[in-house]
C-alpha cells in the first residue's frame, strides 16, 4: 500500500485519526441511479455482469469519477459466494436474491461446500486487481455478507419482511442454525481474505437484516459467527467495518464482535450512537436515503445537522444510512459530497477512552 493511500481520508477516519476533511462514500453508489451504469449494465442477471471483470471494474469506478467519493466499493453482491458454489441463487431485478430450493434441513448442509476463491470466484479477484490498479490513492472496500443476513436469504428463499422461517429455525433447531451460520462465516472469511490479498484496503461485513433481532437473540445466535469472521481477518491489518439497518438497539452487542468501523442508519443520531458504543470505534452514516428526494436546501440542512452531531470527531465516515435508492438524482449526491468535503471537520481532540 502506498503511503498516500494509507493516508487517505477514508482510511484515516477508520483508524480514528484526525484529518483535513470528513470522507464520504455511498452504499450502492454503483448502481441503477447512475445513467452510465444503466448504459453498460447489460441484460440478464446482475450475477452475469459481476462475472465480467472489465465491466465490473468500470462500474466500480463510475461513482468515484462522477462524485469524487473517498472510497470505491467493489461491484459484487453478498450472494456471489453461495451462488459460486452452486447453491442455486439468483438475483431478480427489483426483488433481490431468490433461492430455488431453500435451506430447510441438515441434508442441505451438503450443498454448502467451502469457498475456494481462486477457482470459484476468480472474476471477483480479477476485478479487485483491475480496480486497484486504476484507483491509485483511493481505497477499495471489499465486502461479504454476514452469516445471518446471507442465511436469511437461504432459509426464506428470498427477501423477507418478518424472517418467520429463519426465526423459527433458530428455536426449533439451534444446532442446525449454528452449523449453517458457521459455514457461511467460513465462506465470508475466505471471500474477504481473498479480496484483501488481491488489493482491497478495507473490508465491510453487511449484516443488513440483523436489526430484525432483539439483543438477546443477536448475542446467542448471531454474534459468535460475526465475531468469528472479524477475528479471522484481524491479521490482515485493514479496517473492518460492520453494517446493518435498524441496529440502534444492537450497537453495543455489535461492537463486541470487534470491528473498527460501525455503520449507523438514520434512526439513531451519530452522537447518540457514540454514547451507545462502549469503546472507541469509527462510525459510518447516517443520512436517510429518502431525504435525497427532498428539495436541495432540505438535503443540505440534513447533511449539516449530521456533521454538527459528529462535532469534528475524527472517527467518522459520511455515508447514507442504507443504500442509494434507484430513483435518486445523482446531482443530489454530488451536492452531498460537496458539502461534506467543504464543511466537514475531522480535527476535534477526542478524549482517550481511559482518560
Ligand atoms: O455500490 C455498491 O454498493 C455495489 C456493490 C453491491 C451490490 N450489492 C450490487 C447490487 C453491494 C455492496 C451489495 C450488497 C448487498 N446485496 C446487500 C447488503 C447491502 C444492503 O443493501 O443492505 C444486500 C442485502 C444484497 C442483496 C441484494 N442484491 C438486494 C437486496 C438487491 C436489490 C434488488 C433490486 O433489484 O432492487 C440486490 C441486487 C443488486 N446488487 C443491485 C446492485 C447494484 C441492483 C440490481 C441490478 O443492477 O441488477
Amino acid at each position: 500500500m502506498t503511503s498516500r493511500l494509507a493516508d487517505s481520508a477514508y482510511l484515516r477516519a477508520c483508524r480514528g485519526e484526525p484529518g483535513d476533511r470528513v470522507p464520504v462514500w455511498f452504499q450502492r453508489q454503483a448502481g441503477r441511479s447512475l445513467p452510465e451504469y444503466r448504459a453498460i449494465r447489460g441484460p440478464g442477471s446482475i450475477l452475469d455482469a459481476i462475472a465480467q471483470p472489465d465491466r465490473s471494474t468500470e462500474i466500480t469506478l463510475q461513482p468515484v469519477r462522477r462524485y469524487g467519493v473517498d472510497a470505491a466499493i467493489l461491484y459484487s453482491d453478498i450472494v456471489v459466494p453461495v451462488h459460486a458454489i452452486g447453491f442455486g441463487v439468483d438475483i431478480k431485478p427489483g426483488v433481490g436474491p431468490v433461492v430455488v430450493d431453500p435451506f430447510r434441513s441438515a441434508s442441505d448442509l451438503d450443498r454448502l461446500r467451502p469457498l475456494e476463491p481462486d477457482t470459484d470466484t476468480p472474476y471477483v479477484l480479477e476485478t479487485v486487481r483491475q480496480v486497484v490498479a486504476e484507483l491509485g490513492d483511493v481505497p477499495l472496500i471489499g465486502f461479504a455478507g454476514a452469516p445471518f443476513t446471507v442465511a436469511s436469504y437461504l432459509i426464506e428463499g428470498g427477501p423477507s419482511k418478518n424472517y418467520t422461517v429463519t426465526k423459527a429455525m433458530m428455536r426449533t433447531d439451534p444446532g442446525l442454525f449454528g452449523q449453517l451460520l458457521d459455514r457461511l462465516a467460513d465462506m465470508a472469511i475466505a471471500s474477504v481474505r481473498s479480496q484483501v490479498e488481491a488489493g482491497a484496503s478495507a473490508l465491510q461485513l453487511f449484516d443488513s437484516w440483523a436489526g430484525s433481532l432483539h439483543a438477546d437473540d443477536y448475542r446467542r445466535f448471531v454474534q459468535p459467527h460475526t465475531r468469528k469472521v472479524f477475528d479471522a481477518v484481524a491479521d490482515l491489518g485493514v479496517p473492518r467495518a460492520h453494517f446493518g439497518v435498524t441496529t440502534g438497539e444492537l450497537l453495543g452487542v455489535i461492537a463486541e464482535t470487534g470491528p473498527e468501523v460501525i455503520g449507523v442508519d438514520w434512526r439513531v443520531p451519530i452522537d447518540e450512537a457514540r454514547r451507545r458504543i462502549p469503546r472507541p470505534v469509527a462510525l459510518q452514516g447516517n443520512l436517510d436515503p429518502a431525504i435525497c428526494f427532498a428539495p436541495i436546501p432540505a438535503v443540505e440542512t440534513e447533511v449539516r445537522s449530521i456533521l454538527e452531531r459528529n462535532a469534528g470527531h475524527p472517527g467518522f465516515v459520511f455515508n447514507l444510512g442504507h443504500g442509494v435508492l434507484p430513483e435518486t438524482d445523482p446531482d443530489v449526491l454530488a451536492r452531498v459530497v460537496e458539502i461534506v468535503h467543504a464543511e466537514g471537520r475531522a480535527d476535534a481532540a477526542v478524549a482517550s477512552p481511559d482518560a
Side-chain angles (χ1 to χ4, degrees), residues 13-342:
C14 291
R15 299 190 299 260
E17 295 168 9
D20 51 16
R21 71 180 195 204
V22 171
V24 48
W25 68 278
F26 302 114
Q27 301 188 119
R28 288 283 163 88
Q29 62 190 15
R32 283 171 298 188
S33 65
L34 295 183
E36 60 268 36
Y37 173 78
R38 297 194 297 269
I40 69 159
R41 155 75 166 79
S45 168
I46 185 179
L47 293 167
D48 299 331
I50 290 168
Q52 300 170 37
D54 291 347
R55 191 177 298 210
S56 298
T57 298
E58 176 59 21
I59 292 173
T60 304
L61 296 171
Q62 284 176 342
V64 180
R65 289 195 201 109
R66 178 188 271 262
Y67 300 124
V69 280
D70 295 278
I73 180 135
L74 181 70
Y75 181 71
S76 182
D77 198 86
I78 59 168
V79 297
V80 162
V82 280
H83 167 68
I85 61 154
F87 194 84
V89 185
D90 200 0
I91 297 180
K92 282 217 175 109
V95 178
V98 287
V99 176
V100 189
D101 189 4
F103 184 100
R104 290 292 154 78
S105 67
S107 64
D108 292 317
L109 285 170
D110 298 339
R111 300 162 57 204
L112 282 170
R113 67 162 171 83
L115 179 76
E116 288 164 23
D118 289 341
T119 46
D120 291 324
T121 50
Y123 45 87
V124 170
L125 305 182
E126 181 53 27
T127 303
V128 171
R129 285 188 283 266
Q130 288 191 27
V131 167
V132 168
E134 295 277 333
L135 278 174
D137 299 328
V138 177
L140 172 69
I141 304 169
F143 71 90
F148 174 77
T149 290
V150 177
S152 79
Y153 285 109
L154 301 192
I155 297 169
E156 303 288 337
S160 173
K161 216 170 142 202
N162 298 313
Y163 308 97
T164 50
V165 194
T166 308
K167 290 179 179 182
M169 188 185 292
M170 273 174 170
R171 292 198 153 68
T172 53
D173 202 341
L176 178 62
F177 188 79
Q179 280 180 285
L180 169 59
L181 267 68
D182 191 59
R183 293 212 186 178
L184 295 175
D186 287 338
M187 293 180 78
I189 293 164
S191 179
V192 287
R193 284 198 78 87
S194 68
Q195 293 171 50
V196 172
E197 282 159 8
S201 42
L203 60 91
Q204 182 157 319
L205 202 55
F206 285 98
D207 211 353
S208 302
W209 315 134
S212 64
L213 302 171
H214 60 59
D216 285 350
D217 274 357
Y218 181 85
R219 202 179 239 124
R220 181 169 163 213
F221 295 110
V222 176
Q223 193 190 51
H225 307 285
T226 296
R227 186 189 287 131
K228 173 178 164 171
V229 178
F230 282 132
D231 283 352
V233 295
D235 64 301
L236 295 171
V238 301
R240 298 166 297 165
H242 180 284
F243 173 79
V245 282
T246 59
T247 52
E249 301 299 327
L250 301 179
L251 291 171
V253 281
I254 285 170
E256 290 167 13
T257 64
E260 284 76 31
V261 185
I262 296 184
V264 183
D265 79 5
W266 58 93
R267 295 168 180 91
V268 181
I270 289 297
D271 47 347
E272 171 59 18
R274 215 165 244 127
R275 280 192 285 276
R276 293 183 184 190
I277 299 174
R279 68 180 176 87
V281 292
L283 297 181
Q284 177 167 279
N286 74 343
L287 183 68
D288 180 350
I291 297 286
C292 298
F293 293 77
I296 287 273
V299 179
E300 293 176 348
T301 303
E302 203 70 21
V303 172
R304 291 191 174 109
S305 143
I306 292 168
L307 293 172
E308 274 161 32
R309 295 256 193 187
N310 182 60
H313 196 296
F316 182 53
V317 177
F318 197 99
N319 205 316
L320 300 180
H322 201 178
V324 175
L325 296 165
E327 307 80 15
T328 305
D329 177 353
D331 291 344
V332 173
L333 296 181
R335 180 71 190 128
V336 171
V337 172
E338 231 172 65
I339 303 178
V340 174
H341 281 168

